[in-house]
Amino acid sequence: MDLRRWLDAAVTANEAWSAGFDPVRPHPSLQIDDTRFTAAFEEFTARLADNYPFFHPRYAGQMLKPPHPAATVGYLAAMLVNPNNHALDGGPATAAMEREAVAQLAAMFGMETHLGHLTTSGTIANLEALFVARESHPGRGVAYGAEAHYTHERMCRVLGMDGHEVPVDDRGRMDLDALEDLLRTGQVGTVVLTAGTTGLGAVEPIDQALALRERYGVRLHVDAAYGGFFTLLAGADGPEGLPAAPWRAIAACDSVVVDPHKHGLQPYGCGAVLFADPAVGRFYLHDSPYTYFTSGEMHLGEISLECSRAGAAAAALWLTFRLLPPTRDGLGRVLAATRRAALHWAELIDRSDELRLYQPPELDIVSYFPTTAEETMSGIDTASARMLAEGMTAEKDPVFLSTLRVDAASLARRHPDITPDIGAARILRSVLMKPECEDYVDHLHERLVELARG
Ligand SMILES: *Cc1c(COP(=O)(O)O)cnc(C)c1O
């Protein structure tokens, strides 16, 4: 789709809608003449050039990429109205779109019932899940894997709950025996399982954890902020197919978080939290004297901790889902390409003398490090940092990577031959989250081999 054309169409649609009301004279206090705007805009775009090329497959670092053009157009068209999805008074159209898009997310996870809404981010979505956990299991803490997102520990502090870190196995997934030891103490009311850790993309054994819920009366929350959309590949044929069990188990958990602004093609400002039991809405009860007056129907602000939220974020997601729904044939094809890219690259790394895999990729995150003469942790650390720096500053053929700090014990479990002369080392990490990566991996690999040789 031609972005220029559809951005123009978004403005036209807004003008057509506005024309249904009598004309409003623009106020002089808001008038800016084109000369001044030109100058400011030139300065602005020049400043904006100081960025990494997230759109390009040679950016193979963090979880970053631009939104799909459909999301951009949807966002802009709604933003021109600027609805606030806190309440139906703030814009009925985008509130309805939010409900529909959230229902599509619930269906994607196979949830039979749900109560949910969009949030500004995965962090806030997880905060809400932990808030509900605290209200439903008062006085008990939260357990999460040692490689869970760092905000779980932080949000436990915000909520005044005890956070318990559970050791992980040799693939970075929560060790369920260690979890069970902790659950026996009775201190834990909620277990957070991560479906796709941020560092390595490890999928924790959600299916096996289900039995513990009954045994110890705990809630299970799944943090699938990054990995959630990979459920579309659960049980799929072909190399990109994923073991179905942990993904299918999400439907049987109490809550799940997924970030459409990561793998759902959306601009920032779009997370989501879904609860299996709609009755948890009671924990959000509050009285607001200045909202909720247009309708007796439930307002999204009555089931979320945040107040104002961009209706445009819901609009963008809704429009994207009309075109690329969260199904295997829709968005699933995008995810499949990223997964194949990761698998192919892992194979190339495995066969090369210059690079080694840290561990095989479970989703689309590839973790690796350069081979060094001495095979020490300090050598790997220095060489990884050098590759990162040289890659991104190269005038010709730059590549943008990210690093991951791993401790000596974690490295030793995977690579016992490496001398642990320091406590922790940086290795390299690439999230191949653009489907375009699939065609680019061969080049990326060649370039990294070149950088590794120094
Ligand atoms: C990214 C991420 C988060 C945080 O989400 P934000 O949208 O960045 O606030 C939480 N958990 C996991 C597993 C993530 O990957």
Side-chain angles (χ1 to χ4, degrees), residues 171-340:
R171 286 285 178 269
R173 300 168 298 206
M174 187 188 283
D175 175 343
L176 292 190
D177 291 330
L179 172 66
E180 191 158 8
D181 288 343
L182 174 63
L183 294 183
R184 279 196 200 95
T185 67
Q187 295 173 44
V188 170
T190 300
V191 178
V192 176
L193 295 150
T194 304
T197 56
T198 316
L200 296 167
V203 181
E204 296 192 317
I206 304 165
D207 47 322
Q208 292 163 41
L210 287 179
L212 299 174
R213 180 169 61 170
E214 311 311 326
R215 210 171 300 152
Y216 298 96
V218 289
R219 282 179 73 80
L220 294 182
H221 168 60
V222 178
D223 180 1
Y226 147 70
F229 288 100
F230 280 99
T231 193
L232 298 173
L233 303 182
D237 296 332
E240 67 267 20
L242 297 172
W247 301 101
R248 301 265 188 271
I250 293 177
C253 293
D254 296 287
S255 51
V256 58
V257 156
V258 60
D259 262 355
H261 70 201
K262 278 185 182 150
H263 255 302
L265 309 175
Q266 300 306 297
Y268 284 115
C270 196
V273 61
L274 307 169
F275 297 96
D277 177 11
V280 302
R282 70 186 182 280
F283 297 126
Y284 288 95
L285 264 187
H286 63 279
D287 187 36
S288 169
Y290 26 74
T291 54
Y292 315 139
F293 51 82
T294 51
S295 159
E297 221 188 299
M298 189 191 64
H299 300 259
L300 289 161
E302 293 180 283
I303 52 154
S304 63
L305 291 183
E306 292 176 273
C307 182
S308 295
R309 274 188 306 104
L317 185 61
W318 185 90
L319 185 58
T320 307
F321 279 178
R322 293 291 281 192
L323 303 153
L324 293 164
T327 57
R328 191 172 294 165
D329 294 339
L331 200 48
R333 291 173 55 220
V334 178
L335 279 288
T338 69
R339 173 91 187 107
R340 284 192 303 266

Side-chain angles (χ1 to χ4, degrees), residues 59-82:
Y59 180 87
Q62 305 274 17
M63 291 166 189
L64 285 154
K65 64 173 178 182
H68 190 277
T72 304
V73 172
Y75 198 100
L76 175 76
M79 192 192 71
L80 292 172
V81 180
N82 206 22

Side-chain angles (χ1 to χ4, degrees), residues 1 182 309 337 370 377 407 443:
M1 53 179 281
L182 174 63
R309 274 188 306 104
M377 266 183 86
D407 61 31
H443 176 71

